[in-house]
Amino acid sequence: MTTKLITETGLQLLRRYDKKAESDKAQLLDDDGPAYVSVFVTILQDIFKEETVEYVLALIDEMLTANPRRAKLFHDNSFANEDTYEPFLRLLWKGNWFIQEKSCKILSVIVSARPKVQNGVDANGDASSSKRKLTSAEDVLRGLVEWLCAQ
C-alpha cells in the first residue's frame, strides 16, 4: 500500500479473504464477489513480482475450482469499462510455467462463462464507450490458440 499499488480497501479485502477456510471464502464471494475479483485483477495488472502474481493466480484458480460458476463474477456489470482478460493474456507469455498454466486455465474458464452477445455488443469488449479498447472474447480465444500452438 505504501507504494500505491493497492488501495486501502483492496488491502482490507485481501486480508479478509487470505488464509480463510473455503466456506468463509465462499461466503465472502457470495456477499461481494465483484469486489474481490476487482482486487485480484488490479493486483495482476499493477504488480509484477513473481511470487505475488503466482499467489493471486492460485487464489483465483482455487476460487474457480471450488465453484466454476464464479467465473461469471469476471463479467459483472461493474467491469463494463475494465479489461478483466488482459492480465491473463499478458501472463501467458511471461513468467514461469506455473504462471502460464494458471493464466491459461483461468482464461479458459472465464471466457467460457462470458455472457452471450446482446444487440451486437460482445460482453467485455467490442462496443464499449470506454476510451481504451477492451479485449474481446474473440481476442482472448485468438491469444489462447496462439499461445497453445507456440507450446
Side-chain angles (χ1 to χ4, degrees), residues 47-108:
I47 298 177
F48 297 95
K49 185 176 178 188
E50 198 166 83
E51 295 95 22
T52 304
V53 170
E54 288 175 357
Y55 185 69
V56 172
L57 288 172
L59 287 176
I60 296 169
D61 181 46
E62 180 182 86
M63 171 185 89
L64 295 175
T65 299
N67 185 348
R69 287 175 290 176
R70 291 182 184 141
K72 291 181 181 186
L73 294 172
F74 287 83
H75 303 286
D76 188 77
N77 289 336
S78 62
F79 299 123
N81 292 318
E82 292 185 45
D83 196 339
T84 56
Y85 295 134
E86 185 280 328
F88 303 104
L89 269 177
R90 179 179 40 79
L91 290 170
L92 283 177
W93 299 96
K94 306 268 190 238
N96 60 35
W97 178 245
F98 180 88
I99 290 173
Q100 292 175 342
E101 185 270 334
K102 292 296 182 200
S103 296
C104 181
K105 182 178 177 188
I106 292 165
L107 257 181
S108 299

Side-chain angles (χ1 to χ4, degrees), residues 6-17 25 27-43 56 60 63 70 72-79 82 84:
I6 188 169
T7 65
E8 184 176 341
T9 304
L11 186 60
Q12 288 174 353
L13 285 170
L14 195 55
R15 284 184 175 153
R16 194 178 311 150
Y17 187 86
K25 289 179 181 179
Q27 187 60 53
L28 291 170
L29 291 168
D30 289 344
D31 293 343
D32 204 7
Y36 287 95
V37 167
S38 179
V39 168
F40 297 153
V41 170
T42 299
I43 290 171
V56 172
I60 296 169
M63 171 185 89
R70 291 182 184 141
K72 291 181 181 186
L73 294 172
F74 287 83
H75 303 286
D76 188 77
N77 289 336
S78 62
F79 299 123
E82 292 185 45
T84 56

